[in-house]
Amino acid sequence: QLQLVESGGGLVQAGGSLRLSCAASGRSFINYAVGWFRQAPGIGRELVAAIDGSGRGTHYADSVGGRFTISRDNVKNTVYLQMNSLKPEDTAVYYCAAKHRATSEYGFWGQGTRVNVSS
C-alpha cells in the first residue's frame, strides 16, 4: 500500500514556475510508476506526465512537453513536477498517482493540489 501526498500548488502569474512534490509512504517505491494528472472544471482528467520506477523512462502530454519536467528521488520517496512557462490553461487541480509495475491501473491517488495561473 502507498499513501501519496501532494504539495507545492498555489497562485502564479502566466510565465511563472512552480514545482509540485508527491511524497509517498510505503515500501518498495521503486516498484511503482508515478503519474501526474490534472483536472480543470468541466474538463476530463488528463495525464500530464509519467515516470517509471527507475526514473529513466518518462512521458509527457503534448500540451506540456518542453515546459514540464517530471523526476523522482527514490531515496526520498518523492516525485516532482517542475512546471515552467505556465499558462492560464494549466490551471487545474493536480493529482499524483502510482501504479505497481505488475499492474496497468493507477491504484493509489493523492488528495490533489490546486494550481492557479493568472493571465
Side-chain angles (χ1 to χ4, degrees):
Q1 294 290 327
L2 282 185
Q3 290 186 322
L4 305 175
V5 178
E6 303 96 333
S7 62
L11 175 64
V12 64
Q13 288 188 330
S17 299
L18 283 174
R19 188 176 80 157
L20 306 184
S21 298
C22 172
S25 61
R27 300 192 301 176
S28 302
F29 184 56
I30 196 170
N31 290 327
Y32 292 82
V34 174
W36 280 101
F37 293 78
R38 68 185 180 188
Q39 187 155 23
I43 299 175
R45 189 171 59 194
E46 176 188 20
L47 175 62
V48 171
I51 189 167
D52 66 12
S54 69
R56 291 190 291 269
T58 59
H59 166 80
Y60 296 94
D62 290 342
S63 57
V64 305
R67 299 188 298 122
F68 290 10
T69 302
I70 190 171
S71 61
R72 67 189 293 159
D73 183 334
N74 284 336
V75 173
K76 296 182 178 179
N77 278 13
T78 302
V79 173
Y80 305 98
L81 185 67
Q82 178 67 43
M83 307 187 295
N84 298 328
S85 302
L86 283 162
K87 304 175 182 180
E89 51 263 45
D90 294 319
T91 294
V93 178
Y94 285 72
Y95 301 87
C96 68
K99 61 177 179 177
H100 191 272
R101 62 182 181 179
T103 67
S104 60
E105 298 291 329
Y106 285 94
F108 305 95
W109 290 82
Q111 83 289 350
T113 185
R114 184 173 300 276
V115 172
N116 284 304
V117 184
S118 63
S119 57

